[in-house]
């Protein structure tokens, strides 16, 4: 049978005689023909350290670079095998402009002049507020900083990287950036964890491995989620409810905590069910504990309420509140100012209140935005759409110009991972 695991590629490294091999790399090159370049993975919030092996100007293989504080000696399969996409047929190598509904390749000078003229025209005709930008949180700190600088230089504050978020109630109410609240290495030392709204094995496979190590040591893991995922580790308590019941579920846990501590319940009319009471007992009994919000919780339509209840639970039990951030540079995007500051529109508002000019930095709205249908409709109504992408992809359907940008293996930059660790890297090819 096949191995159904998001960490299966590590078996290649563990095989003592080299009998287990990487299928994409097999017969492609000999190890002594390859140059080794250090890099950082953009694929999730861990920021796994990589060795990118190169022959000529082609990435041939990706291996783990040992870093005990971050990824130990492991990689997720996504980190290990995603390099195959670098050689996809729709890689964009030259700027393209749509003229008379026909795409043609042009020189950089022509493309940049076209984009500058289009943005200047929209600003003159409709004002700077008619310009907006959506950016991917997998982009480097430097790219996001410069994109924000460009937008604000034009006079617009409509920029956002929180593409899948739908509740922005907390905007302006906190400083800094959501983060893990602890070092990644500390996850393996916890003895109580409440995990809220996380497809952990798929979203952050290496953090899942850390928590699996903790449960082997006796950590009690409790889960509030909408799906009874197989986490491949012991789960002490599961509260599986529909997503519209997550707020109520956390309120029940909070109520049970208050009752066990002899305090006034934080919400009236809430009765704690048996599972909620067991979760409360577990959190109150531990010493090193954390309440962790996953991607699905951050992207929830009631994310602010979930955050508030999680914060109450953490403070009342002496736990650390952490966010399992989504992408390789989610924390860095906050620090780079790639979100509205002075009354600008957030990602949801730019979809619901379409702008005349839209810049898409490394974004595929048909996949990356919370409401893809509304996003594509908003782009269809724009006067100009400028896509910056390593690939042609769906941009040929909605963009007026596509400018090629480099994937992480071909550029230098910085990613800030979920623990706030800034890691710089250079292009491998």
């Amino acid at each position: 049978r096949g191995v159904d695991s998001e960490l299966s590629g590590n078996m290649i490294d563990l095989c003592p005689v080299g009998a287990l091999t990487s299928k994409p790399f097999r017969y492609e090159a000999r190890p002594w023909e390859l140059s080794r370049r250090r890099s950082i993975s953009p694929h999730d919030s861990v920021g796994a350290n990589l060795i990118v092996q190169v022959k000529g100007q082609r990435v041939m293989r990706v291996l783990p670079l040992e870093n005990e504080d971050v990824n130990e000696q492991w990689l997720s399969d996504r980190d290990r095998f995603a390099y195959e996409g670098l050689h996809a047929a729709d890689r964009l190598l030259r700027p393209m402009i749509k003229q008379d509904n026909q795409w043609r390749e042009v020189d950089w000078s022509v493309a940049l002049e076209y984009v500058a003229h289009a943005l200047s025209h929209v600003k003159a005709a409709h004002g700077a507020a008619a310009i907006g930008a959506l950016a991917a949180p997998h982009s480097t700190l430097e790219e996001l900083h410069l994109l924000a600088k460009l937008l604000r230089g034009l006079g617009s504050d409509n920029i956002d990287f929180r593409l899948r978020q739908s509740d922005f109630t907390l905007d302006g109410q906190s400083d800094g950036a959501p983060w893990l609240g602890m070092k990644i290495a500390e996850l393996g030392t916890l003895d109580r964890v409440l995990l809220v709204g996380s497809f952990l094995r798929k979203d952050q496979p290496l953090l899942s491995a850390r928590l699996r190590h903790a449960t082997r040591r006796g950590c009690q893991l409790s889960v509030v989620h909408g799906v009874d995922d197989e986490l491949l580790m012991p789960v002490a308590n599961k509260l599986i409810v529909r997503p519209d019941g997550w707020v109520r579920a956390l309120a029940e846990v909070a109520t049970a905590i208050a009752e066990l501590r002899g305090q006034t319940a934080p919400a009236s009319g809430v009765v704690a069910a048996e599972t909620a009471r067991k979760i409360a007992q577990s959190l109150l009994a531990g010493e090193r504990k954390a309440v962790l919000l996953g991607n699905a919780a951050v992207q929830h339509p009631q994310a602010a309420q979930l955050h508030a209840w999680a914060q109450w639970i953490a403070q009342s039990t002496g736990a650390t509140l952490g966010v399992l951030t989504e992408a390789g540079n989610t924390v860095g995007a906050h620090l780079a100012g790639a979100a509205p500051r002075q009354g600008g529109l957030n990602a949801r508002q730019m979809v619901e209140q379409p702008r005349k000019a839209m810049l898409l930095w490394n974004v595929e709205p048909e996949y990356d935005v919370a409401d893809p249908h509304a996003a594509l409709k908003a782009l269809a109504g724009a006067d100009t759409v400028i896509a910056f992408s390593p690939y042609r992809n769906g941009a040929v359907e909605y963009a007026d110009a596509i400018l090629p940008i480099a994937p992480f293996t071909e550029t230098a930059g910085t990613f800030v991972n979920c623990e706030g660790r800034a890691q710089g890297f250079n292009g491998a090819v």
Side-chain angles (χ1 to χ4, degrees), residues 133-149:
L134 298 176
H138 303 86
S139 308
T140 65
L141 188 71
E142 293 79 3
E143 289 171 326
L144 294 170
H145 166 73
L146 290 171
L147 181 64
K149 189 174 182 179

Side-chain angles (χ1 to χ4, degrees), residues 70-188:
V70 181
N71 56 298
E72 299 173 286
Q73 63 272 21
W74 312 119
L75 285 185
S76 71
D77 287 355
R78 182 167 50 205
D79 297 332
R80 186 182 298 268
F81 297 119
Y83 74 89
E84 288 191 276
L86 298 171
H87 316 308
D90 66 343
R91 268 301 301 270
L92 184 66
L93 301 178
R94 296 188 63 197
M96 298 178 68
I97 293 177
K98 185 188 292 182
Q99 292 183 333
D100 299 323
N101 274 332
Q102 297 294 320
W103 284 100
R104 68 183 185 94
E105 292 186 348
V106 297
D107 293 334
W108 271 102
S109 58
V110 174
L112 293 174
E113 185 176 342
Y114 173 89
V115 172
H117 174 77
L119 294 177
S120 299
H121 175 75
V122 169
K123 180 179 178 180
H126 305 286
I131 303 172
L134 298 176
H138 303 86
S139 308
T140 65
L141 188 71
E142 293 79 3
E143 289 171 326
L144 294 170
H145 166 73
L146 290 171
L147 181 64
K149 189 174 182 179
L150 170 64
L151 260 288
R152 294 186 175 110
L154 288 167
S156 173
D157 194 45
N158 304 326
I159 178 172
D160 208 349
F161 68 92
R162 300 163 297 173
L163 307 179
R164 294 190 173 120
Q165 193 168 319
S166 55
D167 182 5
F168 295 88
T169 308
L170 293 178
D171 278 12
Q173 297 188 35
S174 60
D175 296 324
W179 70 298
L180 186 61
M182 67 184 78
K183 297 291 186 182
I184 289 174
E186 293 176 19
L187 285 175

Side-chain angles (χ1 to χ4, degrees), residues 89 173 210 262 331 400:
Q173 297 188 35
R210 294 272 190 180
V331 176
D400 299 293

Side-chain angles (χ1 to χ4, degrees), residues 190-205:
L190 296 172
D191 54 25
R192 297 291 187 276
V193 175
L194 173 58
L195 184 64
V196 182
S198 174
F199 295 93
L200 185 62
R201 285 178 54 200
K202 303 301 182 184
D203 292 344
Q204 291 95 9

